[in-house]
Amino acid sequence: MAIEPPFFEKYKAILQSSANEKEKPSTVEGFEELELPLIDLSHLNLGPLERQECIEKMGQAAIEWGFFQIVNHAVPDELLNRLKQEQIKVFQQPFDKKSENNFLNLSVQSYRWGNPLATSLRNLSWSEALHISLKDISKMDEYNKLTSTIEEYAEKANFLAQRLAEYLAQNLGIKANYFQENCSPSSSSLRMNRYPPCPYPSMMFGIIPHTDTDFLTIVSQDQVGGLQLKRNGRWVSVKPNPKALVVNIGDFYQALSNGVYKSITHRVIANQETERYSAAYFYCPTYETVIESCSKPSLYKKFSFKEYREQIQKDVKATGDKVGLSRFLL
Ligand SMILES: O=C(O)CCC(=O)C(=O)O
Ligand SMILES: [Fe+2]
């Protein structure tokens, strides 16, 4: 049975009408490949001076890039490999099974592909994803290796994300227990992405340009490459580093930091030959948490995670895409 989602059948009309369009998404070729600022977390345990330098470097990267990569992050390679193997196994199941409403006992729409509301190639992602809200993990079959691996990974990722968020907060004078008070291991989510080979890589995206709806994201990616971010008005490719995890600032940290840390637009380019896997851990607060700028005058209205999500849902329905933080500008 076929594992691939029926991209061609579903998006036939868009594919046909877009073949002649002048303005197509950018192609794979010709992007500069950059190494993200590298933060070695082992420096936090050296001396006070190295520790301070490391924290400042992280803050600087969050200001100038909105992205950095971390090594010596204490997530074992063995666990990352196991997560990838389980991820491969789950996506290799037949499409009919993946798209069942109670697949893995998760909430409806945990398994996603393409974009049900796509109106053109610009808002169509050539990928499939399992988006697991971590509060759902208790519903999954507990004797399953996928469940236990996700549980193990989520615990490590949560610990790491909280530490990163706290170090970043030190540069801004946000109170030390802010994240402990507002985030819990079950308020975050894990999105496992699979990018199948795409027959038209020059015409469409693996994931359309977006910013992340969270405080920060920790991404584990394989060596295929394709992640790009917008830097000084240009798209640049992130060079994969097998030892590193990628971290990016999300909309909530941009709002909390009053625009100091940047939630940068990023995307994934489709690849004609090779499938690609990544796993993104979204560090989020509880729904009721109200996010408010840490300094005055505030650039943004305060909003709860719930309000923000509802706004995104409205915008996606109306435009096929999320509008994001600019909705909340004062
Ligand atoms: O696949 C990647 O490298 C990034 C994925 C991503 O941006 C996301 O899931 O939000
Ligand atoms: Fe993202």
Side-chain angles (χ1 to χ4, degrees), residues 291-308:
I291 294 149
E292 195 174 358
S293 306
C294 70
S295 62
K296 300 280 171 295
S298 302
L299 290 175
Y300 305 100
K301 280 180 250 180
K302 59 181 178 184
F303 57 82
S304 68
F305 181 10
K306 186 165 176 280
E307 281 169 298
Y308 197 80

Side-chain angles (χ1 to χ4, degrees), residues 16-302:
Q16 277 170 354
S17 68
S18 307
N20 305 321
E21 247 177 47
K22 266 198 240 96
E23 263 238 53
K24 291 177 187 138
S26 313
T27 56
V28 201
E29 276 85 36
F31 293 107
E32 192 180 357
E33 191 175 55
L34 292 183
E35 276 184 48
L36 295 175
L38 185 82
I39 313 292
D40 184 344
L41 295 184
S42 69
H43 288 202
L44 293 167
N45 307 319
L46 293 178
L49 209 65
E50 286 88 348
R51 183 185 169 83
Q52 196 48 36
E53 262 177 25
C54 181
I55 294 172
E56 275 167 22
K57 194 171 167 191
M58 210 186 292
Q60 216 45 42
I63 293 170
E64 288 170 15
W65 288 73
F67 269 77
F68 52 91
Q69 49 181 340
I70 51 174
V71 290
N72 294 317
H73 43 63
V75 183
D77 281 349
E78 182 279 324
L79 175 56
L80 290 166
N81 292 335
R82 190 151 34 98
L83 183 69
K84 164 113 190 259
Q85 291 318 312
E86 288 306 310
Q87 190 174 343
I88 294 176
K89 269 203 309 217
V90 90
F91 283 114
Q92 293 299 321
Q93 298 196 35
F95 171 73
D96 288 348
K97 186 145 185 229
K98 291 183 281 194
S99 49
E100 276 169 7
N101 268 349
N102 60 348
F103 183 52
L104 304 171
N105 263 344
L106 292 167
S107 318
V108 186
Q109 288 192 344
S110 293
Y111 173 70
R112 305 166 185 187
W113 63 280
N115 171 3
L117 302 168
T119 50
S120 80
L121 290 182
R122 304 205 147 265
N123 47 29
L124 172 58
S125 298
W126 195 271
S127 57
E128 54 180 344
L130 198 57
H131 193 107
I132 302 173
S133 170
L134 292 168
K135 63 178 171 334
D136 279 358
I137 210 162
S138 56
K139 293 197 232 155
M140 293 174 76
D141 179 1
E142 60 182 309
Y143 300 110
N144 184 309
K145 200 167 160 198
L146 172 71
T147 314
S148 59
T149 307
I150 291 177
E151 235 168 359
E152 208 179 317
Y153 181 68
E155 194 188 316
K156 294 257 189 291
N158 179 65
F159 180 73
L160 178 59
Q162 186 182 319
R163 277 175 66 211
L164 294 171
E166 286 172 356
Y167 289 127
L168 287 163
Q170 285 184 23
N171 296 312
L172 299 170
I174 295 165
K175 53 176 202 182
N177 59 355
Y178 176 90
F179 295 97
Q180 224 169 14
E181 275 178 3
N182 294 303
C183 305
S184 78
S186 60
S187 59
S188 293
S189 52
L190 179 70
R191 181 181 165 104
M192 300 200 286
N193 297 305
R194 173 177 176 266
Y195 304 87
C198 172
Y200 317 108
S202 61
M203 281 168 60
M204 60 176 73
F205 302 115
I207 280 194
I208 58 170
H210 67 280
T211 58
D212 289 348
T213 306
D214 60 358
F215 283 118
L216 58 84
T217 311
I218 299 174
V219 180
S220 157
Q221 61 162 335
D222 61 23
Q223 293 311 294
V224 174
L227 174 61
Q228 297 191 327
L229 58 101
K230 197 91 177 256
R231 183 156 170 73
N232 303 326
R234 289 172 44 223
W235 286 106
V236 295
S237 297
V238 172
K239 191 173 176 172
N241 175 344
K243 294 243 167 304
L245 292 169
V246 171
V247 178
N248 64 281
I249 299 296
D251 297 346
F252 298 162
Y253 223 139
Q254 177 164 326
L256 176 68
S257 69
N258 208 12
V260 174
Y261 293 157
K262 309 292 184 316
S263 177
I264 292 292
T265 305
H266 53 285
R267 67 184 188 185
V268 174
I269 285 295
N271 186 306
Q272 190 154 17
E273 276 101 39
T274 318
E275 69 175 354
R276 174 175 184 270
Y277 286 91
S278 70
Y281 181 85
F282 299 105
Y283 186 55
C284 297
T286 56
Y287 272 180
E288 300 68 40
T289 300
V290 173
I291 294 149
E292 195 174 358
S293 306
C294 70
S295 62
K296 300 280 171 295
S298 302
L299 290 175
Y300 305 100
K301 280 180 250 180
K302 59 181 178 184

